[in-house]
Structure formats: C-alpha cells, structure tokens
Amino acid sequence: MHGQLSDSVGTLRGVGPKKVQGLNKLGINTIADLLGYYPFRYDDIAVKSLAEVADGQKVALKGIVASEPVLARFGRAKSRINFRFLVEHDVILVTFFNQPYLKQQLVSGKEIVIYGKYNAKRQALSAMKLLANQGGNDFTGVYRASKEIKATTIKSLVKDAYELYHESLQDLVPVKLRAKYRLESHQQIVHDMHFPATAKAANLARRSAIFEEFFLFQAGIQFMKKLARKDEGIALKYNNDELRAFIKTLPFELTAAQKRVVNEICADMRRPAHMNRLLQGDVGSGKTIIAAIAMYAAVTAGYQATLMAPTEILAQQHADKLADLFEPLGVNVALLTSTTSNKAKLRQELLAHLAKGEIDILIGTHALIQADVEFAKLGLVVTDEQHRFGVNQRKDLRQKGAKPDVLAMTATPIPRTLALTAYGEMDVSIIDELPAGRKPIKTSWVRKKQLKELWGFVAQQLELGSQAYVISPLIEESEAIDLQNAKEVYANLAQLFKDRFRVGILHGQMKAAEKEAIMAAFKKHELDLLVSTTVIEVGVDVPNATVMVILDADRFGLAQLHQLRGRVGRGSKASYCLLVADPKTDYGKARMETMVQTNDGFIIAQKDLELRGPGDVLGSKQAGIPDFRVGDPIADLKILQIAQMEAQQVLAAPDFLTNPENAGLIQYLHQKVGQGQKFD
C-alpha cells in the first residue's frame, strides 16, 4: 500500500510539473482521478484468421512480410509505407500512414502481427499499429489523449498507479447490492476496466462501473436531501379557510393535476423543513395560478413572497395578473425591474415599504437580488423558468430571507432521464394535463415558396377576429447569415396588409417602456399582427392570438420552437403554428417533423435530448448536469433508475449509519457532499 488516493499524480515516477499540467487539463489531478480515467473503447487484438474477418472490421492478423516495403513521402510530415503481407495462403496489401520509422522493422520474410482495418474488396489492410506481442492475444483499452499527453503515457501511468495504490481502493457500493446485481468489487472494476483479459471481462467491469457511478451520484443527492431536511426551514401555518375561499373565487376549476400539485406544495410549506420543489409543466398548463396559490398561502401565514422572472415583459405580465387577482383580498403586489431601478425616488419608496413589510408580494427580474433589496419577513421564493437563472442568482434570492421555502417553475419539460440528474436534489411536482377547453395546436411545416398561400391563411384568421405572431430570428441584417430580419419582415407585412390589418413590431433592442406599450396594445387588440424576435418566447399570454408563424424555423432548437408555439392556443379557439423552413440537414428536417407530429413537451424534450445530447438541452454548467465518466444517462437510463431507487433505500434504512458495511460510503458522502456536516 502506498499513500492516499487523494495524492497528486505528481507523486508518480517520471511525472514532472509539465506532465502534471497536461494531466490536469484532462481532469486528472489525483491518483483517484487517474485510476477512474477509463478507456473509452477497447481494441480486440487477438489474432484472427482471414476467413473470420468481415469487411471493414478492425482486426489483428499474423503473417509474413512478403515484399520489400516501399516508403513514399508527401510534403513535410506525411508518408506512406506499402508492402505485401502473406496471411496463411493469401497475399494482402498493407499500408501504414505517417509511421516512416516502421520501415526498419518490416524486414522481408519476418513474421509479424499487424492491427488495422480490413477491406475485403481490395484485399487490403489499412494498418494502425505493429504489435510487439507475437502471440497477439491482447484486448486493450484506448484512452482519450491530448497534444501534451499521449494515450501510451496514460496507459503506463495507470499501470504504475494501480500497482502502488490498488490496496487503497475500497468498496462504496454495499455488498448486498453487488450480490443482487452481480457487480464486481471496486478494485476489480478498476483492474478490469484498464487491463481486461477478454471482451467479457471488460463488459462486466463497464456494467459494474456504470452502476457504481450512478449509485454514488444518486446517494450524494439523497444525502443532500437529508442535510436539507435537517435544515430547519419555516413552518408556514397558512390559513386553510382563506386559501380554500380564494381558490373558489377563481374563474375556472383547477384540473386534477393542479389540485394534486397544490396539495404537494402546501404540505411542504406547513412542514418546518426547508421546501425545495420544482414545478414542471408543459407550456400553458397553468403553473402561474399554482404559484399564486402558494404565494397567497405564505401571505395568510404572515410572510412575504417573491417571484423572479427572466424578462421584464414576463415580470410585468405576472405583476398585472397577480395584482388583479389579489386586489379584492387586500394583498399588496409590487414590481421591481431595472426600469424601476432607473427611477431612483420610486425605487427608494418601494424598498422602504418592502423593508417595513407593507408589500406582501414582490415580482421582479434579477433586480430582486441587488444588495439593498431587503424583505421584512420573506417566507416563499418562486423562480419562473428556473433554468434561465444561474445557481448563484437563485442562491442570492434565497438569502434574502431566513431559509425561505423555494418553488422553482419551468415550462421546459425535462425528460425523466435528465430530471433524475439535473434536479435530483429537488422534489418534483408535474402538471401533466392541460386546462379544460384547450384545443391542441395544429402545426404545419411550410416551404418558403409557399409563403404567398401562408399570408393568405393568416389574413383569413385575422378577418375572423383572431390575432397572430410572426417570429423572425434576427433584428439587424447580417451579411454572414441570410436571415429575414424583423424590421424587414415588419416593413413587408405592413405594406402587404396595409389598410386591412394593424401591424406592430417588438424586439430586444427596444426600451422596456416601448416593449410594455406594444404588448399592452396587442393584448387590447389594438394590433392584429405582431412581428417579434424571440423576446416573446417565454410566458406571454394573449388568449385571442391563434396563429404563430415562425420564419427560418430550422434555425431554432426544439425547446425554443415548442415555447414559441405555446404563445398560441391559450384560449378556446382553434390555433395554428406554421413553421417556415427549407432545412438542408437531416437534423433540421428531423426537428421540423417532430414539431408537426406532437404537441407533447415531454416527447419533444426527449427527442431534443436524442438529437442534441444532454449538455446542449440544458446548458450543462448552469443546469447542473453531471459529467459522467462511464455512464450515459440516455443510453443507460434503466441502470440510472435502478441506482436511484437503491440509493434511496440504502440511505433511508434505519441502520444506515450504524451498519459497518456502509462505513466507506458514509465517509465518501461526507467528503463529497457533506462538507463536514453530520446528519442523524
């Protein structure tokens, strides 16, 4: 046994400061990192007979150099070696690229083993390496390398580290689980991931490593939940009668899903433990009214509530809606955005009222987290479109009170695959049904040559008294990208519909007051058609708008297209989304087809995930998607779900802390997650 797994890789023989720097860039800082830096694939270099080899297969062949090798050079660094190779009774042509030094080792009549890709048609081998092992009975890992650190260097360092430190590798997955799922011990996993004797050994090690990685991640999340529950929060003793009376005054009946979610949130708020809940619901599923009920509950308990929205338009819309809703109940609602901040006197008065507790509910943008914003008694924090805010912004808002309850809302449906990882430490409530009377939006994919017919259809809908949005991706003309810009589209449509319909324009470079005035005019139906950039992507609610035209739709991601489509279909009339696009790639076409086939945000999110991968869907750094080294949360979803279930059960067991089997796991969790905190 030699030292700790937390030792720097610099303690290994032959690893100087320069090599340490190169290894650090690959994410390898400690011995534990190095031993966990597993191969991303394996080459099976067991020698095969030509008869067993399929066309295009990578294979190790044993034979005799049957002709003098010919070396040809191209330019400064490129070269090619060609020679004939006798394998059993067949002669094949072998080519080595850019390895001129091998010419000395390729002696005519010598028996060698070569690894490469076989082309059956040409009877040729595109060679990758000359194998030193004459037996060629080798199954070897291939590592991701860099300019500074070669794969062979990683391989030899892993070998040295394993010899010196393998006794320090301890099991973190409980024995019972390893027996139940036929998993290897941690030491065996590390050995067989790096030095497998066979493909079967490598596969078993990989399966065990994936489970171990997911299990430890999920155990960490459960541990964080335990610590959070131990954290004394606020028990919001809201007035149930007042809350019921308020819900009865709503102009509609809550759906079964909304009632279930309200009960989950209210039960959390009553508990003295800190609430950390994510409210997930598709576009238009009625999340705002749930937030309003939760905020009113906090007010009846004698506390203040706050809601942070990502844009001024959305904050203004929430403030208007909630002020109307709460005015008869005497609940004081205020709005704080950067526009308010520009009016110093108004802002000072608002902050003074807030600090005295005279404002019950404060709505705003990130202006809410400025240092001088002080609440008298903050009990509930709501964040809308929570993935739009960084982790630190959400934390700053929570710190405005003494451990207020937190309700995060998102209309970006996250597939279950990612919800397990991105929001694992939160309790999740899902609204999985749309309010009664909502009709599904009919989505069509239109080519640019059909624009004349499209504008004819839009005109028909406007004649019927409906309103429409037209979305353009850019504000200013860009020579680099040939996109129709909002100003040009606005000018063309104003001309096309002149004397028939009122056309307006909305974009991000307008001042907040201008944006508000345009949106207010559109809501009052003083405008029939609104040309806009993606400023209106999130949450804008105009029930009379029934047509959404998205120009250059193939330039948008699926989640964004789904959000934009959700701006219509908010009333009882039939609604339409028209995607104008001539995509050149299969990826672009697949996105258009997905939008036409389904209105279900969860299916769209899953498709987006398959097309783009997890990091792009949520923005890894911000959303907290972990960078798994072995497991893939999409391909290995089944293992992820089992690992989550088992982690929950292990940590919930009454003897979790006293069972000696869990000693290694408990130590690991305190180091990784607990930061010295103890729980009991």
Side-chain angles (χ1 to χ4, degrees), residues 442-501:
K442 186 170 171 32
T443 304
S444 305
W445 169 16
V446 179
R447 304 285 180 169
K448 287 182 184 172
K449 63 184 180 193
Q450 298 167 288
L451 270 174
K452 194 177 176 190
E453 293 96 310
L454 181 143
W455 298 130
F457 174 76
V458 171
Q460 275 177 5
Q461 292 298 308
L462 299 182
E463 294 281 7
L464 293 169
S466 290
Q467 290 165 274
Y469 296 102
V470 176
I471 304 298
S472 166
L474 287 186
I475 302 164
E476 297 298 342
E477 192 148 12
S478 157
E479 287 173 12
I481 311 169
D482 183 24
L483 292 178
Q484 291 152 301
N485 63 68
K487 288 178 180 172
E488 188 189 319
V489 173
Y490 168 68
N492 291 343
L493 290 178
Q495 182 61 35
L496 179 68
F497 294 134
K498 192 172 60 170
D499 305 328
R500 289 175 70 198
F501 306 115

Side-chain angles (χ1 to χ4, degrees), residues 578-594:
L578 306 163
L579 307 169
V580 181
D582 293 324
K584 305 280 186 288
T585 64
D586 290 344
Y587 172 48
K589 289 170 190 162
R591 290 211 310 271
M592 297 304 105
E593 282 159 6
T594 300

Side-chain angles (χ1 to χ4, degrees), residues 345-377:
K345 193 175 177 217
L346 190 72
R347 187 172 187 278
Q348 277 171 354
E349 283 173 12
L350 189 150
L351 294 182
H353 289 308
L354 185 71
K356 286 179 195 161
E358 292 161 1
I359 291 171
D360 300 306
I361 295 173
L362 181 62
I363 314 293
T365 54
H366 53 268
L368 294 173
I369 57 180
Q370 288 165 350
D372 58 348
V373 178
E374 287 177 20
F375 290 82
K377 201 178 177 189

Side-chain angles (χ1 to χ4, degrees), residues 178-241:
R178 294 210 307 276
K180 184 176 176 181
Y181 296 109
R182 298 192 304 285
L183 306 171
E184 294 183 335
S185 68
H186 184 56
Q187 194 179 114
Q188 195 67 45
I189 290 172
V190 173
H191 180 277
D192 287 357
M193 284 293 284
H194 292 295
F195 326 112
T198 61
K200 193 179 172 187
N203 288 336
L204 175 58
R206 189 163 205 83
R207 190 172 71 84
S208 302
I210 292 169
F211 183 92
E212 181 182 71
E213 184 173 40
F214 285 159
F215 175 79
L216 292 176
F217 175 75
Q218 294 296 343
I221 282 171
Q222 298 309 317
F223 190 75
M224 280 162 70
K225 278 189 173 177
K226 267 186 181 286
L227 292 174
R229 286 200 184 108
K230 196 191 80 169
D231 265 9
E232 282 301 312
I234 306 165
L236 293 165
K237 301 275 192 250
Y238 56 84
N239 186 315
N240 212 14
D241 295 338

Side-chain angles (χ1 to χ4, degrees), residues 566-583:
R567 298 312 105 223
V568 296
R570 302 178 84 83
S572 53
K573 289 186 195 172
S575 292
Y576 306 88
C577 176
L578 306 163
L579 307 169
V580 181
D582 293 324

Side-chain angles (χ1 to χ4, degrees), residues 421-602:
T421 53
Y423 300 126
E425 82 284 5
M426 302 178 94
D427 295 307
V428 181
S429 289
I430 297 176
I431 308 177
D432 48 12
E433 80 184 285
L434 288 177
R438 288 273 169 97
K439 290 183 180 163
I441 301 158
K442 186 170 171 32
T443 304
S444 305
W445 169 16
V446 179
R447 304 285 180 169
K448 287 182 184 172
K449 63 184 180 193
Q450 298 167 288
L451 270 174
K452 194 177 176 190
E453 293 96 310
L454 181 143
W455 298 130
F457 174 76
V458 171
Q460 275 177 5
Q461 292 298 308
L462 299 182
E463 294 281 7
L464 293 169
S466 290
Q467 290 165 274
Y469 296 102
V470 176
I471 304 298
S472 166
L474 287 186
I475 302 164
E476 297 298 342
E477 192 148 12
S478 157
E479 287 173 12
I481 311 169
D482 183 24
L483 292 178
Q484 291 152 301
N485 63 68
K487 288 178 180 172
E488 188 189 319
V489 173
Y490 168 68
N492 291 343
L493 290 178
Q495 182 61 35
L496 179 68
F497 294 134
K498 192 172 60 170
D499 305 328
R500 289 175 70 198
F501 306 115
R502 299 157 297 178
V503 182
I505 181 169
L506 181 73
H507 59 73
Q509 290 182 2
M510 289 175 157
K511 289 187 173 136
E514 287 178 278
K515 286 186 211 165
E516 278 167 36
I518 292 285
M519 272 318 294
F522 190 61
K523 271 185 184 173
K524 289 177 196 159
H525 204 163
E526 290 164 7
L527 293 170
D528 302 297
L529 187 145
L530 183 62
V531 175
S532 174
T533 57
T534 56
V535 172
I536 64 111
E537 176 193 339
V538 176
V540 170
D541 189 7
V542 180
N544 192 47
T546 64
V547 182
M548 167 63 70
V549 178
I550 304 174
L551 301 172
D552 294 300
D554 52 326
R555 304 275 180 172
F556 297 92
L558 272 177
Q560 206 173 19
L561 288 172
H562 184 58
Q563 283 282 358
L564 288 165
R565 173 168 63 187
R567 298 312 105 223
V568 296
R570 302 178 84 83
S572 53
K573 289 186 195 172
S575 292
Y576 306 88
C577 176
L578 306 163
L579 307 169
V580 181
D582 293 324
K584 305 280 186 288
T585 64
D586 290 344
Y587 172 48
K589 289 170 190 162
R591 290 211 310 271
M592 297 304 105
E593 282 159 6
T594 300
M595 290 298 294
V596 170
Q597 283 159 9
T598 182
N599 274 306
D600 186 317
F602 287 91

